Amino acid sequence: MRDTLRIGEFSSLGRVSVRMLRHYEKLGLLSPGETDAWTGYRSYTGP
């Protein structure tokens, strides 16, 4: 079982667009648990 969700999975669960999640990150309201240095993929973790 994975501990993280990709940005698309996270957006589906939260019913928020990927674009909005990136906007929230830019504003400092939300930050991914991990960002892959090679691909830039964001992974989100639970509390």
PDB file of all heavy atoms in Angstrom, residues 1-24:
ATOM      1  N   MET A   1       0.831  -1.194   0.000  1.00  0.00           N
ATOM      2  CA  MET A   1       0.000   0.000   0.000  1.00  0.00           C
ATOM      3  C   MET A   1       0.868   1.247   0.000  1.00  0.00           C
ATOM      4  O   MET A   1       1.842   1.346   0.718  1.00  0.00           O
ATOM      5  CB  MET A   1      -0.909  -0.007   1.230  1.00  0.00           C
ATOM      6  CG  MET A   1      -1.894   1.114   1.242  1.00  0.00           C
ATOM      7  SD  MET A   1      -3.048   0.858   2.598  1.00  0.00           S
ATOM      8  CE  MET A   1      -3.588   2.496   2.811  1.00  0.00           C
ATOM      9  N   ARG A   2       0.502   2.216  -0.819  1.00  0.00           N
ATOM     10  CA  ARG A   2       1.262   3.458  -0.916  1.00  0.00           C
ATOM     11  C   ARG A   2       0.860   4.426   0.184  1.00  0.00           C
ATOM     12  O   ARG A   2      -0.280   4.462   0.622  1.00  0.00           O
ATOM     13  CB  ARG A   2       0.994   4.136  -2.259  1.00  0.00           C
ATOM     14  CG  ARG A   2       1.641   3.469  -3.404  1.00  0.00           C
ATOM     15  CD  ARG A   2       1.533   4.266  -4.680  1.00  0.00           C
ATOM     16  NE  ARG A   2       0.496   5.260  -4.678  1.00  0.00           N
ATOM     17  CZ  ARG A   2      -0.207   5.602  -5.742  1.00  0.00           C
ATOM     18  NH1 ARG A   2       0.009   5.010  -6.873  1.00  0.00           N
ATOM     19  NH2 ARG A   2      -1.127   6.536  -5.678  1.00  0.00           N
ATOM     20  N   ASP A   3       1.816   5.235   0.583  1.00  0.00           N
ATOM     21  CA  ASP A   3       1.559   6.267   1.589  1.00  0.00           C
ATOM     22  C   ASP A   3       1.235   7.610   0.963  1.00  0.00           C
ATOM     23  O   ASP A   3       0.834   8.536   1.657  1.00  0.00           O
ATOM     24  CB  ASP A   3       2.782   6.446   2.491  1.00  0.00           C
ATOM     25  CG  ASP A   3       3.090   5.204   3.302  1.00  0.00           C
ATOM     26  OD1 ASP A   3       2.241   4.310   3.366  1.00  0.00           O
ATOM     27  OD2 ASP A   3       4.176   5.154   3.874  1.00  0.00           O
ATOM     28  N   THR A   4       1.425   7.724  -0.340  1.00  0.00           N
ATOM     29  CA  THR A   4       1.247   9.007  -1.006  1.00  0.00           C
ATOM     30  C   THR A   4       0.258   8.901  -2.153  1.00  0.00           C
ATOM     31  O   THR A   4      -0.033   7.826  -2.659  1.00  0.00           O
ATOM     32  CB  THR A   4       2.585   9.531  -1.564  1.00  0.00           C
ATOM     33  OG1 THR A   4       3.075   8.593  -2.524  1.00  0.00           O
ATOM     34  CG2 THR A   4       3.604   9.723  -0.469  1.00  0.00           C
ATOM     35  N   LEU A   5      -0.257  10.049  -2.575  1.00  0.00           N
ATOM     36  CA  LEU A   5      -1.148  10.142  -3.726  1.00  0.00           C
ATOM     37  C   LEU A   5      -0.523  11.086  -4.743  1.00  0.00           C
ATOM     38  O   LEU A   5       0.064  12.095  -4.372  1.00  0.00           O
ATOM     39  CB  LEU A   5      -2.506  10.728  -3.313  1.00  0.00           C
ATOM     40  CG  LEU A   5      -3.333   9.954  -2.318  1.00  0.00           C
ATOM     41  CD1 LEU A   5      -4.524  10.799  -1.874  1.00  0.00           C
ATOM     42  CD2 LEU A   5      -3.825   8.665  -2.930  1.00  0.00           C
ATOM     43  N   ARG A   6      -0.681  10.767  -6.001  1.00  0.00           N
ATOM     44  CA  ARG A   6      -0.253  11.689  -7.044  1.00  0.00           C
ATOM     45  C   ARG A   6      -1.228  12.848  -7.097  1.00  0.00           C
ATOM     46  O   ARG A   6      -2.359  12.759  -6.607  1.00  0.00           O
ATOM     47  CB  ARG A   6      -0.204  10.989  -8.395  1.00  0.00           C
ATOM     48  CG  ARG A   6       0.926  10.015  -8.500  1.00  0.00           C
ATOM     49  CD  ARG A   6       0.998   9.495  -9.898  1.00  0.00           C
ATOM     50  NE  ARG A   6       2.163   8.664 -10.080  1.00  0.00           N
ATOM     51  CZ  ARG A   6       2.372   7.933 -11.149  1.00  0.00           C
ATOM     52  NH1 ARG A   6       1.488   7.915 -12.121  1.00  0.00           N
ATOM     53  NH2 ARG A   6       3.460   7.221 -11.246  1.00  0.00           N
ATOM     54  N   ILE A   7      -0.810  13.936  -7.721  1.00  0.00           N
ATOM     55  CA  ILE A   7      -1.627  15.146  -7.743  1.00  0.00           C
ATOM     56  C   ILE A   7      -3.012  14.892  -8.364  1.00  0.00           C
ATOM     57  O   ILE A   7      -4.015  15.422  -7.884  1.00  0.00           O
ATOM     58  CB  ILE A   7      -0.890  16.307  -8.442  1.00  0.00           C
ATOM     59  CG1 ILE A   7      -1.596  17.631  -8.181  1.00  0.00           C
ATOM     60  CG2 ILE A   7      -0.684  16.029  -9.917  1.00  0.00           C
ATOM     61  CD1 ILE A   7      -0.812  18.852  -8.603  1.00  0.00           C
ATOM     62  N   GLY A   8      -3.095  14.055  -9.392  1.00  0.00           N
ATOM     63  CA  GLY A   8      -4.377  13.752 -10.016  1.00  0.00           C
ATOM     64  C   GLY A   8      -5.310  12.988  -9.093  1.00  0.00           C
ATOM     65  O   GLY A   8      -6.509  13.247  -9.046  1.00  0.00           O
ATOM     66  N   GLU A   9      -4.745  12.039  -8.369  1.00  0.00           N
ATOM     67  CA  GLU A   9      -5.536  11.268  -7.404  1.00  0.00           C
ATOM     68  C   GLU A   9      -6.017  12.165  -6.266  1.00  0.00           C
ATOM     69  O   GLU A   9      -7.169  12.088  -5.841  1.00  0.00           O
ATOM     70  CB  GLU A   9      -4.696  10.127  -6.836  1.00  0.00           C
ATOM     71  CG  GLU A   9      -4.267   9.098  -7.864  1.00  0.00           C
ATOM     72  CD  GLU A   9      -3.205   8.152  -7.348  1.00  0.00           C
ATOM     73  OE1 GLU A   9      -2.331   8.566  -6.559  1.00  0.00           O
ATOM     74  OE2 GLU A   9      -3.252   6.981  -7.751  1.00  0.00           O
ATOM     75  N   PHE A  10      -5.110  13.017  -5.798  1.00  0.00           N
ATOM     76  CA  PHE A  10      -5.444  13.931  -4.701  1.00  0.00           C
ATOM     77  C   PHE A  10      -6.536  14.909  -5.134  1.00  0.00           C
ATOM     78  O   PHE A  10      -7.471  15.186  -4.383  1.00  0.00           O
ATOM     79  CB  PHE A  10      -4.186  14.678  -4.267  1.00  0.00           C
ATOM     80  CG  PHE A  10      -4.342  15.500  -3.033  1.00  0.00           C
ATOM     81  CD1 PHE A  10      -4.480  14.909  -1.791  1.00  0.00           C
ATOM     82  CD2 PHE A  10      -4.334  16.881  -3.103  1.00  0.00           C
ATOM     83  CE1 PHE A  10      -4.619  15.672  -0.643  1.00  0.00           C
ATOM     84  CE2 PHE A  10      -4.466  17.656  -1.960  1.00  0.00           C
ATOM     85  CZ  PHE A  10      -4.609  17.044  -0.733  1.00  0.00           C
ATOM     86  N   SER A  11      -6.445  15.405  -6.361  1.00  0.00           N
ATOM     87  CA  SER A  11      -7.451  16.351  -6.842  1.00  0.00           C
ATOM     88  C   SER A  11      -8.815  15.681  -6.988  1.00  0.00           C
ATOM     89  O   SER A  11      -9.840  16.291  -6.693  1.00  0.00           O
ATOM     90  CB  SER A  11      -7.018  16.987  -8.159  1.00  0.00           C
ATOM     91  OG  SER A  11      -7.068  16.066  -9.213  1.00  0.00           O
ATOM     92  N   SER A  12      -8.834  14.423  -7.425  1.00  0.00           N
ATOM     93  CA  SER A  12     -10.101  13.690  -7.553  1.00  0.00           C
ATOM     94  C   SER A  12     -10.761  13.479  -6.199  1.00  0.00           C
ATOM     95  O   SER A  12     -11.970  13.665  -6.056  1.00  0.00           O
ATOM     96  CB  SER A  12      -9.868  12.336  -8.213  1.00  0.00           C
ATOM     97  OG  SER A  12      -9.482  12.488  -9.541  1.00  0.00           O
ATOM     98  N   LEU A  13      -9.976  13.094  -5.215  1.00  0.00           N
ATOM     99  CA  LEU A  13     -10.531  12.870  -3.884  1.00  0.00           C
ATOM    100  C   LEU A  13     -11.063  14.155  -3.266  1.00  0.00           C
ATOM    101  O   LEU A  13     -12.090  14.155  -2.590  1.00  0.00           O
ATOM    102  CB  LEU A  13      -9.478  12.259  -2.960  1.00  0.00           C
ATOM    103  CG  LEU A  13      -9.125  10.808  -3.220  1.00  0.00           C
ATOM    104  CD1 LEU A  13      -7.955  10.381  -2.333  1.00  0.00           C
ATOM    105  CD2 LEU A  13     -10.323   9.914  -2.973  1.00  0.00           C
ATOM    106  N   GLY A  14     -10.351  15.243  -3.499  1.00  0.00           N
ATOM    107  CA  GLY A  14     -10.759  16.521  -2.922  1.00  0.00           C
ATOM    108  C   GLY A  14     -11.702  17.324  -3.790  1.00  0.00           C
ATOM    109  O   GLY A  14     -12.146  18.400  -3.403  1.00  0.00           O
ATOM    110  N   ARG A  15     -12.005  16.777  -4.988  1.00  0.00           N
ATOM    111  CA  ARG A  15     -12.866  17.466  -5.946  1.00  0.00           C
ATOM    112  C   ARG A  15     -12.384  18.886  -6.232  1.00  0.00           C
ATOM    113  O   ARG A  15     -13.165  19.846  -6.253  1.00  0.00           O
ATOM    114  CB  ARG A  15     -14.311  17.460  -5.475  1.00  0.00           C
ATOM    115  CG  ARG A  15     -14.888  16.074  -5.408  1.00  0.00           C
ATOM    116  CD  ARG A  15     -16.329  16.084  -5.067  1.00  0.00           C
ATOM    117  NE  ARG A  15     -16.815  14.704  -5.085  1.00  0.00           N
ATOM    118  CZ  ARG A  15     -18.087  14.414  -5.146  1.00  0.00           C
ATOM    119  NH1 ARG A  15     -18.987  15.356  -5.182  1.00  0.00           N
ATOM    120  NH2 ARG A  15     -18.456  13.154  -5.160  1.00  0.00           N
ATOM    121  N   VAL A  16     -11.086  18.990  -6.427  1.00  0.00           N
ATOM    122  CA  VAL A  16     -10.431  20.250  -6.761  1.00  0.00           C
ATOM    123  C   VAL A  16      -9.571  19.980  -7.982  1.00  0.00           C
ATOM    124  O   VAL A  16      -8.946  18.923  -8.080  1.00  0.00           O
ATOM    125  CB  VAL A  16      -9.536  20.729  -5.590  1.00  0.00           C
ATOM    126  CG1 VAL A  16      -8.787  21.987  -5.944  1.00  0.00           C
ATOM    127  CG2 VAL A  16     -10.364  20.929  -4.336  1.00  0.00           C
ATOM    128  N   SER A  17      -9.515  20.918  -8.906  1.00  0.00           N
ATOM    129  CA  SER A  17      -8.721  20.697 -10.110  1.00  0.00           C
ATOM    130  C   SER A  17      -7.225  20.704  -9.789  1.00  0.00           C
ATOM    131  O   SER A  17      -6.786  21.303  -8.805  1.00  0.00           O
ATOM    132  CB  SER A  17      -9.022  21.769 -11.155  1.00  0.00           C
ATOM    133  OG  SER A  17      -8.526  23.020 -10.740  1.00  0.00           O
ATOM    134  N   VAL A  18      -6.472  20.051 -10.647  1.00  0.00           N
ATOM    135  CA  VAL A  18      -5.016  20.031 -10.511  1.00  0.00           C
ATOM    136  C   VAL A  18      -4.494  21.460 -10.592  1.00  0.00           C
ATOM    137  O   VAL A  18      -3.586  21.846  -9.852  1.00  0.00           O
ATOM    138  CB  VAL A  18      -4.386  19.138 -11.602  1.00  0.00           C
ATOM    139  CG1 VAL A  18      -2.888  19.297 -11.643  1.00  0.00           C
ATOM    140  CG2 VAL A  18      -4.774  17.687 -11.389  1.00  0.00           C
ATOM    141  N   ARG A  19      -5.081  22.241 -11.463  1.00  0.00           N
ATOM    142  CA  ARG A  19      -4.670  23.651 -11.601  1.00  0.00           C
ATOM    143  C   ARG A  19      -4.847  24.407 -10.285  1.00  0.00           C
ATOM    144  O   ARG A  19      -4.000  25.202  -9.893  1.00  0.00           O
ATOM    145  CB  ARG A  19      -5.486  24.295 -12.715  1.00  0.00           C
ATOM    146  CG  ARG A  19      -5.080  25.698 -13.018  1.00  0.00           C
ATOM    147  CD  ARG A  19      -5.861  26.239 -14.189  1.00  0.00           C
ATOM    148  NE  ARG A  19      -5.485  27.618 -14.425  1.00  0.00           N
ATOM    149  CZ  ARG A  19      -6.185  28.450 -15.138  1.00  0.00           C
ATOM    150  NH1 ARG A  19      -7.309  28.059 -15.714  1.00  0.00           N
ATOM    151  NH2 ARG A  19      -5.784  29.688 -15.303  1.00  0.00           N
ATOM    152  N   MET A  20      -5.961  24.170  -9.590  1.00  0.00           N
ATOM    153  CA  MET A  20      -6.196  24.836  -8.304  1.00  0.00           C
ATOM    154  C   MET A  20      -5.183  24.384  -7.259  1.00  0.00           C
ATOM    155  O   MET A  20      -4.701  25.193  -6.465  1.00  0.00           O
ATOM    156  CB  MET A  20      -7.596  24.531  -7.792  1.00  0.00           C
ATOM    157  CG  MET A  20      -8.668  25.588  -7.885  1.00  0.00           C
ATOM    158  SD  MET A  20      -8.231  27.257  -8.204  1.00  0.00           S
ATOM    159  CE  MET A  20      -8.205  27.940  -6.605  1.00  0.00           C
ATOM    160  N   LEU A  21      -4.861  23.094  -7.240  1.00  0.00           N
ATOM    161  CA  LEU A  21      -3.862  22.598  -6.290  1.00  0.00           C
ATOM    162  C   LEU A  21      -2.522  23.283  -6.519  1.00  0.00           C
ATOM    163  O   LEU A  21      -1.840  23.674  -5.565  1.00  0.00           O
ATOM    164  CB  LEU A  21      -3.709  21.081  -6.399  1.00  0.00           C
ATOM    165  CG  LEU A  21      -4.889  20.252  -5.910  1.00  0.00           C
ATOM    166  CD1 LEU A  21      -4.636  18.783  -6.171  1.00  0.00           C
ATOM    167  CD2 LEU A  21      -5.163  20.505  -4.443  1.00  0.00           C
ATOM    168  N   ARG A  22      -2.142  23.441  -7.784  1.00  0.00           N
ATOM    169  CA  ARG A  22      -0.879  24.142  -8.092  1.00  0.00           C
ATOM    170  C   ARG A  22      -0.951  25.602  -7.668  1.00  0.00           C
ATOM    171  O   ARG A  22       0.031  26.165  -7.187  1.00  0.00           O
ATOM    172  CB  ARG A  22      -0.570  24.021  -9.568  1.00  0.00           C
ATOM    173  CG  ARG A  22      -0.188  22.608  -9.944  1.00  0.00           C
ATOM    174  CD  ARG A  22       0.215  22.514 -11.390  1.00  0.00           C
ATOM    175  NE  ARG A  22       0.606  21.155 -11.714  1.00  0.00           N
ATOM    176  CZ  ARG A  22       0.174  20.480 -12.765  1.00  0.00           C
ATOM    177  NH1 ARG A  22      -0.641  21.049 -13.617  1.00  0.00           N
ATOM    178  NH2 ARG A  22       0.575  19.254 -12.973  1.00  0.00           N
ATOM    179  N   HIS A  23      -2.116  26.226  -7.829  1.00  0.00           N
ATOM    180  CA  HIS A  23      -2.321  27.609  -7.393  1.00  0.00           C
ATOM    181  C   HIS A  23      -2.196  27.708  -5.872  1.00  0.00           C
ATOM    182  O   HIS A  23      -1.536  28.615  -5.360  1.00  0.00           O
ATOM    183  CB  HIS A  23      -3.687  28.097  -7.863  1.00  0.00           C
ATOM    184  CG  HIS A  23      -4.013  29.486  -7.461  1.00  0.00           C
ATOM    185  ND1 HIS A  23      -3.364  30.588  -7.978  1.00  0.00           N
ATOM    186  CD2 HIS A  23      -4.912  29.964  -6.573  1.00  0.00           C
ATOM    187  CE1 HIS A  23      -3.855  31.677  -7.421  1.00  0.00           C
ATOM    188  NE2 HIS A  23      -4.802  31.324  -6.572  1.00  0.00           N
ATOM    189  N   TYR A  24      -2.821  26.798  -5.148  1.00  0.00           N
ATOM    190  CA  TYR A  24      -2.709  26.781  -3.686  1.00  0.00           C
ATOM    191  C   TYR A  24      -1.260  26.612  -3.245  1.00  0.00           C
ATOM    192  O   TYR A  24      -0.818  27.241  -2.281  1.00  0.00           O
ATOM    193  CB  TYR A  24      -3.552  25.654  -3.084  1.00  0.00           C
ATOM    194  CG  TYR A  24      -5.043  25.822  -3.224  1.00  0.00           C
ATOM    195  CD1 TYR A  24      -5.883  24.713  -3.227  1.00  0.00           C
ATOM    196  CD2 TYR A  24      -5.640  27.070  -3.353  1.00  0.00           C
ATOM    197  CE1 TYR A  24      -7.258  24.846  -3.345  1.00  0.00           C
ATOM    198  CE2 TYR A  24      -7.010  27.214  -3.478  1.00  0.00           C
ATOM    199  CZ  TYR A  24      -7.813  26.090  -3.475  1.00  0.00           C
ATOM    200  OH  TYR A  24      -9.167  26.236  -3.592  1.00  0.00           O
TER     201      TYR A  24
END
